[in-house]
Amino acid sequence: MYFIGVDIGGTGVQAGIVDESGNILFKKECKTNVQNGFESVMDDINDLIRSMILENSLDIKDIKSIGFGVPSFVNKKGLVTCVNLNWHEVNFIEAIKKRFPEVDVYAENDATVAAIAEYKFGSMKDKDICVMYTLGTGVGGGIIINGKAITGSHGMASEMGHTIIGENYYDCNCGSNGCLETFCSATAIINYAKKLINEGNKSIILEFVDNKIENITAKDVFDAYRKNDDVAIKTINRFKKYLAKAFGSMVNTLDPDVICIGGGVSKSSDIILDGINDLVRENILYKNEEFCEIVCATLGADAGIIGAAFLG
Ligand SMILES: [Zn+2]
């Protein structure tokens, strides 16, 4: 039996055929033509999956289930709202069932999907209480307890990117002020480094981008950190300070076995995880007790396909 996992992003759709052990046997992708509307994107996904099955000489009967990770909120009725894709309460599950009546289909928030993959086959394997933070353009969250993804009574759970952990100098896209996402995402790193540079602080980051401040990436800031650049050190230390507040609050709330970081920013996990335990300890109530391990995700970008494949 095979599974299909599909990771829907704002620019592209990645699909894969996955075996029972979580190995991706075949991958294929297409563009997300958001401007053509929801039904058209669904048609493209239909073509992508059907061609993938054909190319591998499989039959739809060989596929146990198809799962989808979506960059959005999936409510209990299967309605999906995603600002990036311009989807507002679209009936995602029904649209997929219409195209694949022969197979079981599932959809879940992409950060939860990544957490499922890391729990089944990666850095959180077989742990009872698992929490994953995906640190990318924004911050996503996934919580797995005793093998079950916690999505809440209404599908709204595990949005740790929007837990409020302090007052910030700019508002979050969601309209609130102080969301974790505005302190601990790639966007937050870029914004803060720019702010320090605009305030007149000298930095080698500008050399990396030929003085085009608008081209700064989070990677540039981490690279500058490795060269002891003052602006980069201030920016990354601030990022870690607030990440530790979030992790400390999570320990106080759930006391997990493991906290895992994934997403693009976690490529610099050596810097992020260095000394993080001491920072987290400052934010937990029972300071002398042992607390969870904090690790980096191991499946990388494949977590989206693998986790989606095992949503069933
Ligand atoms: Zn927010």
Side-chain angles (χ1 to χ4, degrees):
M1 237 8 184
Y2 300 100
F3 304 82
I4 287 179
V6 185
D7 185 10
I8 303 179
T11 52
V13 179
Q14 307 247 355
I17 298 175
V18 182
D19 70 12
E20 286 170 20
S21 312
N23 302 304
I24 300 180
L25 306 175
F26 186 82
K27 260 200 255 190
K28 201 171 163 100
E29 60 185 359
C30 72
K31 274 193 176 160
T32 318
N33 291 312
V34 178
Q35 71 284 357
N36 295 346
F38 173 65
E39 287 296 332
S40 169
V41 171
M42 290 294 104
D43 286 339
D44 291 346
I45 291 172
N46 176 66
D47 295 346
L48 179 71
I49 293 173
R50 300 249 174 223
S51 67
M52 196 167 69
I53 292 171
L54 266 180
E55 279 168 49
N56 286 275
S57 309
L58 293 172
D59 187 274
I60 191 77
K61 290 192 197 77
D62 300 318
I63 307 299
K64 185 155 191 302
S65 64
I66 308 176
F68 296 84
V70 287
S72 60
F73 165 55
V74 184
N75 78 8
K76 287 290 170 193
K77 295 176 191 154
L79 302 181
V80 170
T81 296
C82 177
V83 181
N84 290 346
L85 299 175
N86 207 12
W87 294 355
H88 301 283
E89 292 208 332
V90 294
N91 202 327
F92 184 86
I93 291 291
E94 193 183 275
I96 290 296
K97 270 190 181 151
K98 198 169 77 187
R99 288 164 177 87
F100 296 94
E102 318 91 320
V103 203
D104 291 335
V105 295
Y106 306 92
E108 197 49 78
N109 171 269
D110 54 5
T112 295
V113 163
I116 290 170
E118 291 291 334
Y119 164 74
K120 282 198 164 281
F121 305 106
S123 60
M124 309 195 291
K125 194 165 165 35
D126 297 333
K127 297 283 167 55
D128 291 336
I129 304 181
C130 310
V131 179
M132 180 170 183
Y133 289 79
T134 53
L135 310 172
T137 312
V139 173
I143 299 174
I144 313 287
I145 297 182
N146 297 329
K148 193 176 181 311
I150 304 300
T151 55
S153 293
H154 311 87
M156 295 191 286
S158 81
E159 289 288 4
M160 286 95 77
H162 299 276
T163 49
I164 292 169
I165 51 164
E167 216 177 298
N168 210 350
Y169 66 97
Y170 71 100
D171 287 342
C172 183
N173 286 334
C174 75
S176 295
N177 183 278
C179 293
L180 176 63
E181 184 164 298
T182 63
F183 292 98
C184 296
S185 60
T187 315
I189 291 171
I190 295 164
N191 285 348
Y192 198 71
K194 278 184 184 169
K195 175 177 148 68
L196 293 179
I197 292 169
N198 284 330
E199 285 168 0
N201 294 288
K202 294 234 170 328
S203 169
I204 55 164
I205 298 172
L206 278 180
E207 291 170 28
F208 297 165
V209 292
D210 291 331
N211 281 316
K212 294 194 179 93
I213 194 167
E214 66 275 15
N215 290 345
I216 292 175
T217 65
K219 183 180 179 298
D220 292 327
V221 182
F222 281 108
D223 288 347
Y225 180 95
R226 291 179 205 283
K227 294 184 186 297
N228 288 318
D229 178 75
D230 230 26
V231 164
I233 289 170
K234 280 199 181 105
T235 303
I236 299 304
N237 285 349
R238 181 177 191 262
F239 164 93
K240 287 173 69 169
K241 176 182 147 185
Y242 283 97
L243 194 65
K245 283 181 190 289
F247 289 0
S249 297
M250 184 51 76
V251 170
N252 290 336
T253 308
L254 274 186
D255 183 17
D257 292 284
V258 58
I259 291 177
C260 151
I261 56 165
V265 176
S266 71
K267 284 181 185 149
S268 301
S269 63
D270 57 325
I271 293 174
I272 299 168
L273 298 183
D274 181 38
I276 197 77
N277 285 327
D278 292 337
L279 292 172
V280 172
R281 191 176 293 282
E282 289 171 18
N283 295 287
I284 66 177
L285 179 59
Y286 300 108
K287 292 190 181 1
N288 296 325
E289 298 299 314
E290 205 179 296
F291 63 93
C292 66
E293 47 174 338
I294 302 171
V295 300
C296 182
T298 52
L299 300 174
D302 286 343
I305 292 175
I306 298 169
F310 289 89
L311 278 177

